[in-house]
């Protein structure tokens, strides 16, 4: 775990430092795109799998706090990097950001320790889970949830400029609002999940995220409902991110968490690939770049499908819907 996290810190930091010397798009794709993404995934999956191993009673809260760290870091580091690029240039902005990642994540990697050692003959990714109905439902819930999660973060700032006629800085503020409420939601939903059950909370938060998109964002073109949709989505979608690993640990056990999370991360990856790029194509083809109706429906359908999978998983585990 320490080595995995340390490698992630070094790869991520070096990716940005090397990217500062690149002067063509394909080089940036390899460094700031693929290389940084690979390093970041190593850091993220380490922070995702450790808290559930060490906590039982407050497992959801501990995981929510840990995952909230990624949101806080991404929020302040993006603003800091943008400010550095404006004041000292893109090259040194990227280099300093890379050094910050190595300087902070590198030493803290040595503080990480697994509670349960992996079984030597256990596979890194256990494909036998795919034959388990419970895991299949959880996998598709994560897949559809990821599809619905990324679209508002990518397109709500554009919506505010194109449809509402707001400035780019106003769109950036909407993105900050969603990130800020998502950070709070990851912690708050973890606390609620420990009290009423992580799967019950996940079902509720996914449903509320869906309603925020389809009930507030879709039918209105005014500022008030749009901001309310952004706040509700940011708050509730934070629970989608933080509760998936807790539900996984509760169903399949913490000793099998690394292998199950590995498969679920594939769901998140595919979810990102089949959400935002097709959503952009839908906006261009059916909305002609100005009407977001088809895009919003596309977003809401994914969240509705994720909600259905969550509820079916809840029924599969127990007919008592509010049993923890």
């Amino acid at each position: 775990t320490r080595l995995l996290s340390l490698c992630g810190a070094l790869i991520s930091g070096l990716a940005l430092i090397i990217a500062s010397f690149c002067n063509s798009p394909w080089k940036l794709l390899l460094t700031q795109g693929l290389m940084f993404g690979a390093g970041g995934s190593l850091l993220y999956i380490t922070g995702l799998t450790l808290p559930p191993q060490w906590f039982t009673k407050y497992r959801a809260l501990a995981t929510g706090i840990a995952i909230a760290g990624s949101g806080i870091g991404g929020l302040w580091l993006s603003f800091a990097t943008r400010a550095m690029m404006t004041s000292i240039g893109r090259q040194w902005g990227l280099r300093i950001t890379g050094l910050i990642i190595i300087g902070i994540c590198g030493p803290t990697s040595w503080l990480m320790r697994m509670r349960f050692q992996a079984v030597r003959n256990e596979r890194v990714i256990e494909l036998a889970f795919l034959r388990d109905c419970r895991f299949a439902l959880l996998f598709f819930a994560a897949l559809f949830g990821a599809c619905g999660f990324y679209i508002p973060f990518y397109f709500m700032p554009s919506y505010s400029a194109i449809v509402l006629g707001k400035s780019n800085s106003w769109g950036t503020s909407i993105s900050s609002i969603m990130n800020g409420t998502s950070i709070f939601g990851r912690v708050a939903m973890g606390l609620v999940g420990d009290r009423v059950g992580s799967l019950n909370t996940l079902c509720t938060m996914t449903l509320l995220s869906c309603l925020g998109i389809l009930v507030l964002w879709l039918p209105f073109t005014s500022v008030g409902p749009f901001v309310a949709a952004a706040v509700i989505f940011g708050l509730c979608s934070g629970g989608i991110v933080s509760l998936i690993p807790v539900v996984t640990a509760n169903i399949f056990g913490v000793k099998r968490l690394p292998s199950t999370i590995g498969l679920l991360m594939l769901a998140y990856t595919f979810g990102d690939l089949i959400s935002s790029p097709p959503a952009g194509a839908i906006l261009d083809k059916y909305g002609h770049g100005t009407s977001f109706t088809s895009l919003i429906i596309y977003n809401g359908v994914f969240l509705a499908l994720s909600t259905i999978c969550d509820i079916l998983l809840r029924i599969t585990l127990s007919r008592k819907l509010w049993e923890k």
Side-chain angles (χ1 to χ4, degrees), residues 90-142:
R90 182 187 70 87
Q91 289 82 3
W92 277 107
L94 289 175
R95 291 166 195 167
I96 293 175
T97 303
L99 291 173
I100 290 174
I101 293 175
I102 295 174
I104 294 178
C105 298
T108 54
S109 297
W110 294 105
L111 301 176
M112 298 183 179
R113 182 164 64 91
M114 293 185 65
R115 184 177 184 182
F116 302 104
Q117 296 298 322
V119 182
R120 290 186 179 273
N121 59 356
E122 185 180 1
R123 297 178 181 177
V124 177
I125 297 180
E126 186 58 65
L127 297 179
F129 285 125
L130 298 178
R131 296 192 294 268
D132 191 323
C133 176
R134 300 170 302 169
F135 184 82
L137 289 171
L138 185 60
F139 181 88
F140 283 106

Side-chain angles (χ1 to χ4, degrees), residues 200-278:
N200 296 330
T201 308
L202 178 62
C203 293
T204 305
M205 293 304 104
T206 310
L207 176 61
L208 290 177
S209 298
C210 179
L211 293 177
I213 296 298
L214 295 179
V215 176
L216 291 176
W217 190 15
L218 178 61
F220 300 102
T221 55
S222 54
V223 173
F226 175 70
V227 174
V231 171
I232 291 175
F233 179 81
L235 181 67
C236 297
S237 65
I240 297 175
V241 175
S242 64
L243 291 172
I244 286 288
V246 181
V247 172
T248 306
N250 290 342
I251 296 176
F252 300 101
V254 292
K255 292 184 178 181
R256 306 175 77 182
L257 187 60
S259 57
T260 52
I261 285 294
L263 286 170
L264 290 176
M265 287 300 102
L266 290 177
Y268 280 115
T269 302
F270 289 132
D272 191 15
L273 290 175
I274 64 177
S275 61
S276 300

Side-chain angles (χ1 to χ4, degrees), residues 176-195:
S176 300
I177 288 173
M178 285 194 293
N179 279 306
T181 52
S182 179
I183 292 168
F184 176 77
R186 297 176 190 189
V187 179
M189 296 312 123
L191 183 62
V192 173
D194 286 325
R195 293 182 177 273

Side-chain angles (χ1 to χ4, degrees), residues 77-92:
L77 194 58
S78 62
F79 282 108
T81 303
R82 188 179 299 116
M84 287 188 289
M85 287 182 176
T86 302
S87 59
I88 61 178
R90 182 187 70 87
Q91 289 82 3
W92 277 107

Side-chain angles (χ1 to χ4, degrees), residues 3-37:
L3 182 60
L4 193 68
S5 181
L6 180 61
C7 289
L10 292 175
I11 294 173
S12 299
L14 289 175
L16 295 182
I17 295 173
I18 297 173
S20 69
F21 296 97
C22 298
N23 53 11
S24 60
W26 71 268
K27 293 178 181 178
L28 289 174
L29 178 63
L30 292 177
T31 54
Q32 198 171 348
L34 296 177
M35 185 177 175
F36 181 80

Side-chain angles (χ1 to χ4, degrees), residues 276-294:
S276 300
I282 289 173
L283 177 62
D284 292 335
K285 182 175 181 179
Y286 298 103
H288 306 290
T290 58
S291 176
F292 284 71
T293 300
S294 300

